[in-house]
Amino acid sequence: MAEPGKGDRDLAERLASLASLMPVFKTQGYKRQVFLVNWGSFDTHTQQRDKGSSISQDSQLLTLGKALAAFDQSNIASGLGSEVTTLV
């Protein structure tokens, strides 16, 4: 699991690497793959709302949203936009 508060780049880089690999697997004939990316720590209890903390739930959800948007755009750009399902 990623270190809480490590910032946007850790998750975004993991998803970018994954997005760059998926077209390769498709060209090799793989029809289904399942990938798991662990990141963050959402069991915040006392830090639900952002009070300047990079590990608050607000901060983590913002980071997650940005990284997932970039991941989606990468999949669309590689022609896999309608072939990838993301569960969070």
Side-chain angles (χ1 to χ4, degrees):
M1 183 180 305
E3 185 178 312
K6 203 167 179 185
D8 294 1
R9 295 306 325 150
D10 182 54
L11 179 60
E13 287 172 5
R14 289 177 188 206
L15 291 177
S17 293
L18 179 56
S20 70
L21 288 174
M22 289 192 301
V24 175
F25 291 131
K26 183 177 179 174
T27 61
Q28 293 180 354
Y30 291 99
K31 299 208 183 278
R32 289 181 195 88
Q33 302 95 47
V34 176
F35 303 97
L36 175 65
V37 176
N38 278 330
W39 175 84
S41 177
F42 290 90
D43 188 15
T44 57
H45 295 289
T46 61
Q47 294 179 324
Q48 296 291 313
R49 307 310 306 184
D50 193 12
K51 293 182 173 74
S53 170
S54 62
I55 62 169
S56 72
Q57 194 172 62
D58 287 346
S59 295
Q60 290 184 90
L61 289 173
L62 179 63
T63 298
L64 178 64
K66 288 178 181 179
L68 286 173
F71 180 65
D72 187 48
Q73 289 302 310
S74 294
N75 290 327
I76 291 168
S78 68
L80 296 175
S82 64
E83 298 181 43
V84 175
T85 301
T86 303
L87 302 173
V88 179

